[in-house]
Amino acid sequence: MKYIYIWITTVLVVFGTPLYAQQATISGKVVDGQHNPLDLATVHLLNARDSSVVRTVFPDRQGGFTFAGMAQGSYLVSAILVGYDDVVSDAVTIADNNTAKDIGALVLRSSNTVLAEVTVAAPQRPLVERRADMLVVNVENSTLAAGNTAMDILERSPGVTVDKDDNISLMGKQGVTVMIDGRQTHLSAEQLANFLRNTDGNTIKSIELITNPSSKYDASGTAGMINIVLKKNRLAGTNGSLTLGAGYGFGHKANTSLNLNHKEGPLNVYGTYSYMNNRGGNEFDIFRSISLPGGANTDFQQYTDFIRHNSSHSYRAGVDYQTSDRNVIGVSFNGYASGNDNDNSSHTLIGQTVLSPDSTLTTSSIFDGSYTSLAVNLNNQFTIDTNGRKLVADVDISRFSNRNKANYNNTLFLPSGDMKDEPLLSRSDMPTIIDIRVAKADYTHPFGKDNKLEAGIKYSNVASDNDMRFENQVDGVWQNAGNRSNHFVYEEQVAAAYINYHKQLGKWGIQAGLRSEYTVSDGYSITLANRIKRDYIDFFPSVFLNYNLSDNHQMGLSYSKRINRPNYGNLNPFEYFLDQYTFERGNPYLRPEYTHAFDLSYTLLQRYNISAGYSRTNDVIAESMNQNDETKQTWVSRDNLAKQDIWYTNVNAPVKVAKWWDTNTNLNAFYMAFEGPLNGQHLHQGQFAWQLRSNHTFTLWPTFTAEASANYQSSLIYSVYRIGAQWSVDVGLNKSFYNKKANLKFSVTDIFDTRIQDVRTRFGGLHAIINQKNETRVARLTLTVNFGNLKNGARREAQSEEKSRVNMP
């Protein structure tokens, strides 16, 4: 009931808006000789007196176009498209602001020009592109993306870091919302990592990094949003592409994908299938020292080797159908099925000094995991009138399920080599099911060319069921370990409404918005009979100011408030077992964290971008290590700190060194500080840090290019951890042939094998050093062949919005 007024307010705003503002308009439609819409055409509005271009627009999916807010005068309308003869309309006269002219259909006839002898190449987008509200990494044609997974590509994006536990940071800040084609993933860190590792990088078009989203987007994600845009081919006729890839690092890599598309008249059908089979591994070393009363210490030096084998099948298919000139309905399906086999072994030296241990613990762990997902999306886009009013509705239903089985063998040995105790044999079974249901509607109402109102409503329901069963073998019989088994169910409902207004006042651009989200959550540990229920409403304002000093100088200032709710895995109080002395534990009492973010930006010559900002996060969710001096156990958990402050500066500079050499360099410098009570101590520490990424593209011949990327991250402090510096260099080659319909790409990531994570903590009585070497040096060879009708060029894509907080490995 608390939320009803928000819905009422939104409905009044949406349906109480005037049907149209008084303005002069010229509208029409672009079709071919069979009256099929040509949405790939370019439409120019010309001054009838001298044929100079006044304005340019692109048709919608129905071929329709509108020029609004016209001044008095006489105009011509022209339409052009490669492969067709140009067409120009008769003169159209605008007498006053009430004039609305519909010029009907502009019919483009197929050209008799022989195009086979002419090479028409679309302009190559830079690898890194700065836009007004985001940084875009165009990976579609990059050799560095070929054969890699979505997680690999994210790790190499400017300002993005992925830590040892697969937590994603943007511009130094954790709490990132990850979206796929504008849809929030609703997955936790572990499940999101698994999803990204099972997403073939060859299916990705671009990565959008949004540090300060508007009220139109979900308020979740205190560090901003990362939107992964998948490829979508909408060329007329039948066409597609086939990709084959192989690689080697710690073990073999293999991948293949097939993309198919058929567009005829109002119908567009598309589908993608990909398969990956990868073997890899990493090394993980932990030193920790426990101070005991009387000054004695117990030291642990653990060496762990992880060997992983992953195979996955993923698919995506959909249909778009134009039911009328103004309405398009679409349905899509996507999912994956994968299996992960992990064989881990660790060797831990225990004693007052690891140079002379009094015992040695060996642990072997065998994991068998299976993961599946299925998601269905139904969407409808209705263009209300030629003034640009539009209503878009989406419904998403998805299920993620996984089952992790593990067997552990822990054995303690004396220095003599004899067993100290009988081996501790354990096993676990952890099935998880997550159901996600989302419905939303967005309405757009332009008021001429300089004003626009957006409003929308959304409802999401997420239910997670996690049943962790842990058993120990006693006298040959498996018995339940009550302290490690736990059945945890969690449900979260969020109802949201927003309103956004855009206004252009000369050189000033203003956007203001307000979003409200009402959250009801219920986390229940059936095993512990412990229930945590929450019921709260939040308001999230956002303001954006832009000022165009001239075509070569633009400035912007923005503010937004955001929230980061605890992910479901971190709320679950059960323990993730590494060995009998080391584990990870959830915290059901975690509260949401809130961020106030300010950003000032400057764009020079429409190429060079500088931004600076500040953010304050209250109740920040931070990872910490804990220990029990008596049992000598150490575990990782997450707690709410008082606050986190971040000051940052980001510089993005694309430079053309020579005709054949293009570069893009991104520098992110920041100071991050934490303060608040943690584990009975008061934490107050921070450090200046910086990240540098420089991408270089070399056009050696028209059909042969090379790429190189250098990366550096300085040491930094995060919560109780000091993270060491690391650097890497990636290289790649690309050869196109078969009239540029085929590409052969070769790449090597981290060519010098230098990316090593060095993490240290000394806080309270805890002293630990963690070294992790992941499989980062990988060589890949990838062949891509395009086939079918490829003449008309790619269609512009419309973006939807929504799926990131679940937990699949």
Side-chain angles (χ1 to χ4, degrees):
M1 295 299 294
K2 295 179 183 178
Y3 207 68
I4 291 178
Y5 78 94
I6 297 178
W7 289 67
I8 294 175
T9 302
T10 303
V11 170
L12 289 175
V13 169
V14 173
F15 295 101
T17 304
L19 293 180
Y20 57 88
Q22 285 192 341
Q23 55 182 314
T25 62
I26 298 176
S27 60
K29 189 174 183 179
V30 184
V31 298
D32 62 14
Q34 289 73 45
H35 285 270
N36 295 316
L38 295 177
D39 58 342
L40 297 171
T42 301
V43 184
H44 297 295
L45 181 69
L46 310 176
N47 191 314
R49 185 178 66 255
D50 56 9
S51 295
S52 61
V53 177
V54 177
R55 201 177 302 170
T56 300
V57 298
F58 301 99
D60 56 26
R61 292 184 180 181
Q62 297 78 43
F65 63 87
T66 299
F67 295 100
M70 309 306 305
Q72 296 181 13
S74 184
Y75 301 93
L76 303 173
V77 179
S78 75
I80 60 175
L81 180 62
V82 175
Y84 295 85
D85 292 327
D86 300 350
V87 65
V88 180
S89 73
D90 296 331
V92 181
T93 301
I94 298 298
D96 53 48
N97 288 342
N98 293 318
T99 304
K101 297 284 188 177
D102 187 346
I103 64 174
L106 295 176
V107 181
L108 296 181
R109 308 290 180 181
S110 296
S111 173
N112 293 324
T113 304
V114 179
L115 296 177
E117 300 176 1
V118 180
T119 301
V120 181
Q124 178 81 22
R125 287 189 178 275
L127 180 61
V128 180
E129 180 182 8
R130 180 74 188 196
R131 298 182 187 170
D133 57 347
M134 67 180 69
L135 198 67
V136 182
V137 185
N138 297 299
V139 302
E140 184 171 11
N141 298 309
S142 170
T143 60
L144 301 181
N148 286 310
T149 67
M151 180 66 87
D152 297 327
I153 296 172
L154 268 185
E155 286 187 288
R156 293 166 178 81
S157 298
V160 178
T161 56
V162 181
D163 69 12
K164 60 182 178 60
D165 299 315
D166 295 321
N167 296 305
I168 300 171
S169 298
L170 179 60
M171 304 304 177
K173 297 186 290 184
Q174 287 195 8
V176 181
T177 294
V178 177
M179 301 183 294
I180 307 294
D181 279 339
R183 294 180 174 86
Q184 191 177 330
T185 54
H186 288 296
L187 298 173
S188 67
E190 192 179 0
Q191 290 165 321
L192 177 62
N194 180 68
F195 176 78
L196 295 175
R197 287 197 189 99
N198 287 284
T199 300
D200 190 348
N202 293 296
T203 65
I204 297 176
K205 177 184 177 182
S206 61
I207 306 290
E208 298 175 347
L209 310 175
I210 311 170
T211 55
N212 216 3
S214 70
S215 299
K216 181 177 180 179
Y217 295 95
D218 284 351
S220 60
T222 53
M225 292 182 162
I226 296 176
N227 184 31
I228 300 174
V229 182
L230 301 178
K231 296 177 183 177
K232 188 178 290 185
N233 185 352
R234 296 186 184 278
L235 300 180
T238 302
N239 45 74
S241 65
L242 174 66
T243 299
L244 301 171
Y248 194 83
F250 182 85
H252 72 264
K253 322 288 177 188
N255 67 284
T256 182
S257 64
L258 175 65
N259 297 276
L260 294 173
N261 187 86
H262 178 77
K263 186 177 187 299
E264 183 175 359
L267 180 68
N268 184 75
V269 183
Y270 57 91
T272 298
Y273 166 78
S274 62
Y275 171 74
M276 292 191 300
N277 191 310
N278 296 332
R279 182 176 292 275
N282 63 288
E283 300 174 354
F284 188 67
D285 300 337
I286 304 176
F287 169 83
R288 57 191 180 91
S289 180
I290 297 178
S291 298
L292 302 177
N297 289 343
T298 299
D299 291 347
F300 294 78
Q301 179 64 65
Q302 181 183 57
Y303 304 94
T304 304
D305 291 322
F306 296 86
I307 300 175
R308 297 186 174 97
H309 180 220
N310 165 259
S311 62
S312 66
H313 304 263
S314 59
Y315 55 89
R316 182 166 58 103
V319 177
D320 293 327
Y321 188 78
Q322 181 181 325
T323 60
S324 70
D325 288 346
R326 293 184 177 180
N327 195 72
V328 176
I329 189 171
V331 61
S332 64
F333 304 85
N334 67 80
Y336 68 84
S338 68
N340 291 350
D341 298 322
N342 298 340
D343 188 356
N344 309 332
S345 61
S346 68
H347 186 74
T348 305
L349 306 177
I350 306 172
Q352 289 188 357
T353 170
V354 294
L355 298 177
S356 179
D358 54 40
S359 61
T360 302
L361 173 66
T362 62
T363 302
S364 62
S365 309
I366 299 175
F367 293 84
D368 180 12
S370 60
Y371 314 94
T372 60
S373 79
L374 175 63
V376 180
N377 169 260
L378 180 66
N379 61 83
N380 191 87
Q381 178 175 304
F382 177 58
T383 303
I384 299 174
D385 56 27
T386 58
N387 294 316
R389 289 199 303 153
K390 184 170 61 176
L391 182 65
V392 179
D394 276 88
V395 175
D396 288 278
I397 300 174
S398 54
R399 165 169 283 199
F400 295 83
S401 63
N402 68 282
R403 184 156 198 157
N404 282 317
K405 294 185 177 181
N407 289 278
Y408 309 91
N409 185 333
N410 293 271
T411 306
L412 271 172
F413 292 93
L414 296 171
S416 62
D418 298 328
M419 285 193 303
K420 183 176 181 179
D421 299 301
E422 288 296 317
L424 174 61
L425 303 180
S426 307
R427 68 183 184 184
S428 65
D429 186 5
M430 187 174 64
T432 301
I433 296 177
I434 299 167
D435 289 308
I436 301 170
R437 294 169 287 274
V438 179
K440 69 185 184 72
D442 297 283
Y443 173 76
T444 302
H445 191 119
F447 297 92
K449 63 174 183 173
D450 295 330
N451 298 277
K452 182 172 67 173
L453 177 72
E454 297 174 305
I457 54 177
K458 177 181 175 181
Y459 171 78
S460 65
N461 180 292
V462 180
S464 172
D465 189 327
N466 191 310
D467 189 6
M468 172 68 164
R469 295 187 290 273
F470 199 98
E471 298 177 323
N472 294 322
Q473 191 177 94
V474 180
D475 297 329
V477 179
W478 290 106
Q479 297 182 2
N480 180 58
N483 62 328
R484 294 191 183 273
S485 297
N486 185 44
H487 189 184
F488 182 73
V489 294
Y490 181 83
E491 183 176 9
E492 180 181 276
Q493 301 178 69
V494 179
Y498 77 89
I499 184 169
N500 240 9
Y501 182 70
H502 307 251
K503 175 70 175 178
Q504 191 70 35
L505 296 170
K507 294 184 176 183
W508 287 93
I510 302 173
Q511 175 181 307
L514 178 65
R515 185 180 188 91
S516 183
E517 295 187 352
Y518 176 52
T519 305
V520 177
S521 65
D522 184 1
Y524 181 48
S525 173
I526 298 175
T527 305
L528 302 176
N530 182 36
R531 168 167 264 138
I532 305 294
K533 298 185 70 173
R534 289 193 172 94
D535 180 342
Y536 53 94
I537 187 169
D538 291 302
F539 295 89
F540 302 95
S542 65
V543 180
F544 297 80
L545 297 176
N546 293 291
Y547 181 68
N548 291 324
L549 289 81
S550 67
D551 289 342
N552 292 326
H553 302 274
Q554 295 91 35
M555 297 186 67
L557 177 65
S558 65
Y559 161 78
S560 67
K561 177 187 175 185
R562 303 190 61 76
I563 185 175
N564 189 38
R565 300 176 181 89
N567 74 54
Y568 323 130
N570 292 339
L571 290 169
N572 193 342
F574 70 74
E575 299 172 352
Y576 297 89
F577 187 69
L578 182 60
D579 62 36
Q580 66 187 71
Y581 290 107
T582 316
F583 54 90
E584 182 176 350
R585 175 183 292 167
N587 180 2
Y589 300 101
L590 282 176
R591 302 181 302 277
E593 60 182 16
Y594 295 86
T595 294
H596 298 268
F598 301 84
D599 184 85
L600 176 65
S601 62
Y602 170 68
T603 302
L604 173 65
L605 301 175
Q606 300 184 19
R607 291 174 57 84
Y608 308 103
N609 296 273
I610 303 173
S611 61
Y614 166 76
S615 68
R616 159 68 63 87
T617 302
N618 297 315
D619 282 339
V620 61
I621 299 172
E623 179 182 306
S624 65
M625 294 185 71
N626 309 266
Q627 71 182 24
N628 186 312
D629 294 342
E630 294 183 2
T631 63
K632 301 179 183 179
Q633 292 178 314
T634 298
W635 66 93
V636 172
S637 66
R638 286 164 180 82
D639 297 281
N640 290 102
L641 284 175
K643 63 181 181 180
Q644 175 195 53
D645 291 315
I646 297 179
W647 294 262
Y648 71 90
T649 299
N650 186 264
V651 179
N652 184 257
V655 177
K656 192 172 188 65
V657 180
K659 184 178 180 180
W660 50 273
W661 182 4
D662 291 280
T663 72
N664 187 290
T665 300
N666 193 87
L667 172 65
N668 180 45
F670 57 93
Y671 181 84
M672 182 163 46
F674 294 84
E675 183 178 359
L678 186 66
N679 300 336
Q681 305 284 329
H682 187 79
L683 176 67
H684 188 187
Q685 61 181 12
Q687 181 180 328
F688 172 81
W690 57 283
Q691 300 164 332
L692 178 69
R693 181 174 182 84
S694 185
N695 299 297
H696 301 258
T697 303
F698 308 93
T699 304
L700 306 178
W701 291 281
T703 60
F704 187 68
T705 60
E707 291 182 28
S709 176
N711 313 278
Y712 178 81
Q713 176 182 295
S714 72
S715 61
L716 59 90
I717 286 179
Y718 191 87
S719 183
V720 298
Y721 301 107
R722 293 183 179 270
I723 302 172
Q726 55 180 287
W727 63 277
S728 64
V729 176
D730 307 333
V731 296
L733 299 172
N734 179 30
K735 169 66 177 174
S736 63
F737 53 96
Y738 190 42
N739 197 24
K740 294 190 176 182
K741 293 182 179 179
N743 288 279
L744 184 64
K745 302 175 182 180
F746 175 74
S747 66
V748 181
T749 57
D750 192 14
I751 190 169
F752 299 110
D753 201 25
T754 53
R755 290 187 61 193
I756 301 174
Q757 295 197 45
D758 178 23
V759 181
R760 300 170 183 246
T761 182
R762 185 184 288 272
F763 182 71
L766 180 66
H767 176 208
I769 301 174
I770 303 170
N771 286 288
Q772 183 169 344
K773 182 65 185 80
N774 292 327
E775 181 190 24
T776 55
R777 182 165 60 185
V778 179
R780 297 182 185 273
L781 185 66
T782 304
L783 173 67
T784 301
V785 179
N786 300 304
F787 55 86
N789 178 33
L790 305 172
K791 293 182 180 180
N792 291 341
R795 171 180 177 158
R796 298 174 306 282
E797 285 186 38
Q799 292 294 312
S800 51
E801 195 185 317
E802 193 56 54
K803 264 183 192 132
S804 132
R805 294 170 39 234
V806 194
N807 230 26
M808 293 196 178

